[in-house]
Amino acid sequence: MTAELTRGQNHPLPGARLEIRVSAGTPVVAGATLGDENGTIHGVDGVAHPGSPTVPGLEVSRQAAADHRLAVDLDAVPDAVHRVSVLLALPATGRGPARFGAVAAPFVAVTHLDGDEVASYTITGLEAESAVVALELYRRQGAWKVRAVGQGYAGGLAELFADQQLPEAHQLAGSIHEAVASGLARSVPAPEAAAPAHRPDHGSAPRTGGPDGSVPPGSPYDPQGAHAPGAQTPAAPGQRGAPQPYPGSPEGSDGLDGLDGLDGPGEPVTAGQPSAPAGAGPIDYTHPRRQSAAPPPPPPSAPPAEPGQPARPVAGDATGWSMEERLYNQVWGMFEDLARTTAAYRSAVDFADSRMEKELDQALSDPRSRIGGQGDAAREAARARHGQLVSQAREVLDRDVAQLVAEAEVVEPALPAAFARWDNPVWHAYRVPMEIPMALRLGDLHLPEAGRVRIPMLIRLPLERGLWIDCGRSASLDGLPADSHEMRRLGLETAVAHAARLLAVYPAGEFTVHVIDPAGSGAQALAPLVRSGVLAAPPAQGAAGAADVLARLTQRVDLVQMALRGGAPDALPPGLDTSQQLLIVNDFPHGFDDRAVNQLRYLADEGPAVGVHLMMVADREESAGFGPLLDPLWRSLLRLTPVADDHLADPWVGHAWTYEPPLVPSGSQVLEQVLAQVAAARRSWGR
């Protein structure tokens, strides 16, 4: 639950890596200072500002903007620093408001990386002040807290820095305003006056035009043109639009499953709202996450981009603390671009269809047009206009898809093992990692209009919900129905590939896999896990074996929950395996009684919070005998398929994304080689 602070209130911070989100009614400068116990700044190196956006543990924007995201890593803050002050200031350009009393009250929130708010503060009561200390993160007895400050300064940044005992206060304030003035043309504009009153991070509509809301005349998405009703302006690939995550509803519309559990770095965006014309000029589709940090330079051998052409894509062209995080954010940007441009194309085609139908109805409703050649001419003209509109929209889509294909060709080879396909050469140089990656690839996503573009489906680690490999007969292979035995085999092979990837990306001894195979029907598919010795024990068979595994994992969940609730996480019994646990259940519900089914439901609901995860390989129809008892179980799991299937819903723009599982190439030994290294590392750790 979000803590809504008032001036002077404080709130504990739950972790070290956080974001500070700022929303104002006008472009503001965001910065931060590092101070000692008394709040004193010891030199300009302790100030993060647009001219020098990074200090240890902090990164701020390089320009003035109506909305900011400041990245914070409190573990990286020097030990001598006891106060981190977040400051806001109005640009001293003479063209905008000169005091905070003339603009809407700024809103500041401390959030987790997934956007969930920890604490928020609306800075009220400002009048003549042009700079303000909004929040203060401070150490108290070894823990970090946030305090709502709201201290304003009529003398601007110079007075603010002087109050924090910085000798170079006036010089630094001047250099900050110079840096802001040089980049002010690129600043993010304030929301339109007619926009909803709620905060942008809570679902406000995206800006679909340029800095002034303009759209080039003649564009297929010109509000004055044919595509205005319901049309949606796409962002050009490589120049990201407003951030948008994989959708997060447990179940999508029209019977499709939502992509819940996939945490993106942005917030939802309302689609399908045309922009209002405000004059001519080029569209600025600059992505917010690409404004706060420069991308890594291209290799020296890379040829320069031709004049007038989009910049050549670069792997890691996004913000982040590490290359892994940059690539992760870039993949999200590619997903956003493909969703946006496809939605714009579909909207344009729908409008062209409705316009042609309207023109044909008008032609047929006039008796005069039904006599002679007037009716035929009207119908031909309507069809010609329809073809022209669709052709224009297709040209825009093809251009964007081509740019995304070029970006994917650069990004895919640069992905780390956790993000890479099994055929990526990075697996041939695989070594057991020393730390957990931020995400894991569960497959690929694509849309029918852009079959050449495959977007990696990345899910954050540790897993927040279990997985369900649906091997039902409704799935298909190469467009043909597959029999139940073949689907079960493919489903278990997919589960083995997912389990092997999880084992490979965790440090040695920090991930344990259990298998329940009641009838022993999955021996062939499970062979890679069994032969390599990475399993905690041989696959459990029969009702007794399944009951034993379920009882041990259920007991583990109970013990860890009691320890955490009692505030004694170190009081666990000696010998308890504290690593992350994964239970693969094959051929469900055969061999499971009512007690075992209830234990599975308990593990699915309570397990992820304490490191116990479930992977079901099952056909839902075969468990219909349990009635509605199992409905909560299926809803709690992320449904995947062993073959390509368009079951993942996108409630943002209504797409049904086709999912493809990450299967190992036929004849490849990469999975066995990776598992052999994992097993060797586990043995060295005594596992």
Side-chain angles (χ1 to χ4, degrees):
M1 184 175 179
T2 304
E4 298 182 0
L5 304 179
T6 59
R7 182 172 298 178
Q9 281 188 322
N10 59 54
H11 187 75
L13 295 176
R17 299 195 65 185
L18 303 164
E19 280 189 350
I20 297 176
R21 303 191 179 192
V22 178
S23 180
T26 187
V28 297
V29 181
T33 62
L34 305 182
D36 57 17
E37 298 93 332
N38 301 317
T40 301
I41 309 173
H42 297 281
V44 295
D45 293 341
V47 182
H49 57 84
S52 178
T54 58
V55 296
L58 281 168
E59 182 177 1
V60 303
S61 302
R62 294 178 179 268
Q63 61 188 47
D67 300 292
H68 290 272
R69 288 189 183 183
L70 283 62
V72 179
D73 185 357
L74 296 174
D75 287 341
V77 173
D79 294 338
V81 174
H82 289 260
R83 294 188 188 180
V84 178
S85 300
V86 178
L87 58 93
L88 305 177
L90 294 170
T93 61
R95 292 179 293 176
R99 59 188 183 90
F100 276 110
V103 301
F107 175 83
V108 188
V110 180
T111 73
H112 294 285
L113 296 183
D114 60 4
D116 290 341
E117 288 186 3
V118 176
S120 63
Y121 173 43
T122 301
I123 310 173
T124 58
L126 299 178
E127 291 295 339
E129 297 87 347
S130 60
V132 60
V133 176
L135 297 176
E136 181 181 76
L137 313 182
Y138 64 98
R139 296 184 200 256
R140 179 63 54 85
Q141 297 178 349
W144 284 92
K145 294 185 177 182
V146 58
R147 177 187 291 122
V149 179
Q151 176 62 53
Y153 296 88
L157 287 174
E159 183 180 354
L160 187 155
F161 292 142
D163 190 44
Q164 297 189 9
Q165 310 301 316
L166 181 66
E168 305 90 343
H170 290 276
Q171 296 90 326
L172 180 59
S175 65
I176 291 175
H177 288 305
E178 290 177 3
V180 170
S182 65
L184 192 58
R186 297 178 285 114
S187 63
V188 179
E192 298 290 345
H198 52 265
R199 295 293 174 184
D201 286 344
H202 297 168
S204 60
R207 292 186 57 85
T208 54
D212 58 351
S214 60
V215 176
S219 166
Y221 310 107
D222 185 359
Q224 297 288 350
H227 295 63
Q232 177 187 1
T233 307
Q239 296 176 310
R240 308 284 187 222
Q244 168 234 348
Y246 287 138
S249 59
E251 291 193 67
S253 58
D254 302 327
L256 301 176
D257 296 305
L259 297 176
D260 190 23
L262 306 178
D263 303 316
E267 61 275 352
V269 181
T270 304
Q273 301 203 12
S275 59
I283 302 176
D284 180 10
Y285 287 128
T286 308
H287 195 286
R289 291 200 299 275
R290 295 200 177 185
Q291 294 175 349
S292 58
S301 59
E306 298 179 6
Q309 297 296 320
R312 297 183 183 276
V314 178
D317 186 9
T319 59
W321 293 93
S322 63
M323 188 60 176
E324 178 190 49
E325 190 171 355
R326 287 176 177 271
L327 289 168
Y328 175 80
N329 287 336
Q330 188 171 13
V331 168
W332 281 106
M334 295 168 63
F335 174 87
E336 296 162 8
D337 283 346
L338 183 56
R340 192 183 306 276
T341 191
T342 303
Y345 170 75
R346 292 179 180 179
S347 177
V349 172
D350 288 344
F351 175 74
D353 292 341
S354 63
R355 174 172 175 170
M356 182 177 68
E357 292 177 2
K358 181 179 180 180
E359 291 177 347
L360 292 176
D361 290 342
Q362 290 175 346
L364 293 175
S365 64
D366 187 354
R368 294 172 299 177
S369 65
R370 293 197 293 265
I371 303 174
Q374 291 184 347
D376 294 338
R379 285 189 288 270
E380 289 299 324
R383 294 190 181 98
R385 282 191 289 270
H386 174 272
Q388 182 182 10
L389 293 176
V390 173
S391 177
Q392 289 177 342
R394 187 73 210 190
E395 288 178 3
V396 175
L397 176 66
D398 290 343
R399 178 203 65 197
D400 293 349
V401 169
Q403 182 71 8
L404 280 170
V405 169
E407 187 170 11
E409 291 174 350
V410 173
V411 170
E412 193 69 45
L415 295 177
F419 299 177
R421 292 194 298 255
W422 283 112
D423 59 357
N424 193 308
V426 70
W427 287 105
H428 296 291
Y430 169 76
R431 295 292 182 271
V432 177
M434 299 300 294
E435 59 182 16
I436 302 172
M438 66 184 302
L440 180 79
R441 187 173 190 156
L442 288 183
D444 292 339
L445 300 171
H446 66 89
L447 294 171
E449 291 87 351
R452 295 184 298 160
V453 182
R454 296 293 194 271
I455 306 297
M457 179 178 170
L458 303 180
I459 186 170
R460 294 295 291 265
L461 292 178
L463 298 174
E464 295 183 357
R465 61 190 297 201
L467 305 178
W468 167 29
I469 312 300
D470 185 3
C471 54
R473 297 179 182 86
S474 59
S476 62
L477 181 62
D478 296 332
L480 300 174
D483 63 79
S484 59
H485 296 292
E486 179 69 7
M487 290 305 300
R488 288 195 189 98
R489 181 187 64 82
L490 291 174
L492 190 53
E493 288 181 353
T494 302
V496 169
H498 288 312
R501 185 178 287 265
L502 283 163
L503 283 164
V505 302
Y506 271 81
E510 293 192 17
F511 199 86
T512 303
V513 178
H514 309 265
V515 177
I516 294 179
D517 186 20
S521 59
Q524 181 178 355
L526 293 170
L529 297 178
V530 176
R531 286 199 302 262
S532 62
V534 295
L535 295 179
Q541 297 184 2
D548 178 63
V549 174
L550 291 173
R552 285 189 285 110
L553 290 178
T554 302
Q555 182 185 40
R556 183 190 185 279
V557 172
D558 290 338
L559 290 173
V560 176
Q561 282 186 338
M562 287 189 293
L564 293 176
R565 291 170 181 170
D570 298 331
L572 293 170
L576 181 72
D577 186 1
T578 57
S579 65
Q580 297 279 311
Q581 309 284 311
L582 174 69
L583 173 60
I584 302 176
V585 178
N586 183 42
D587 210 15
F588 180 81
H590 304 297
F592 288 83
D593 55 17
D594 291 344
R595 176 181 174 83
V597 169
N598 286 328
Q599 288 175 320
L600 281 177
R601 287 186 54 187
Y602 178 71
L603 292 178
D605 293 338
E606 304 294 336
V610 292
V612 178
H613 312 285
L614 196 59
M615 186 184 295
M616 302 282 292
V617 182
D619 179 0
R620 185 172 183 174
E621 294 181 2
E622 294 182 353
S623 61
F626 287 94
L629 175 67
L630 289 181
D631 288 348
L633 173 65
W634 305 121
R635 285 196 298 266
S636 67
L637 303 175
L638 175 63
R639 177 178 173 242
L640 304 175
T641 54
V643 295
D645 189 66
D646 58 350
H647 67 280
L648 291 176
D650 177 1
W652 180 61
V653 285
H655 296 330
W657 290 80
T658 298
Y659 166 79
E660 292 185 358
L663 297 178
V664 180
S666 178
S668 173
Q669 299 297 315
V670 63
L671 189 142
E672 286 79 3
Q673 294 169 0
V674 169
L675 289 178
Q677 291 198 43
V678 172
R682 287 173 60 87
R683 287 191 295 271
S684 67
W685 281 78
R687 295 285 184 175

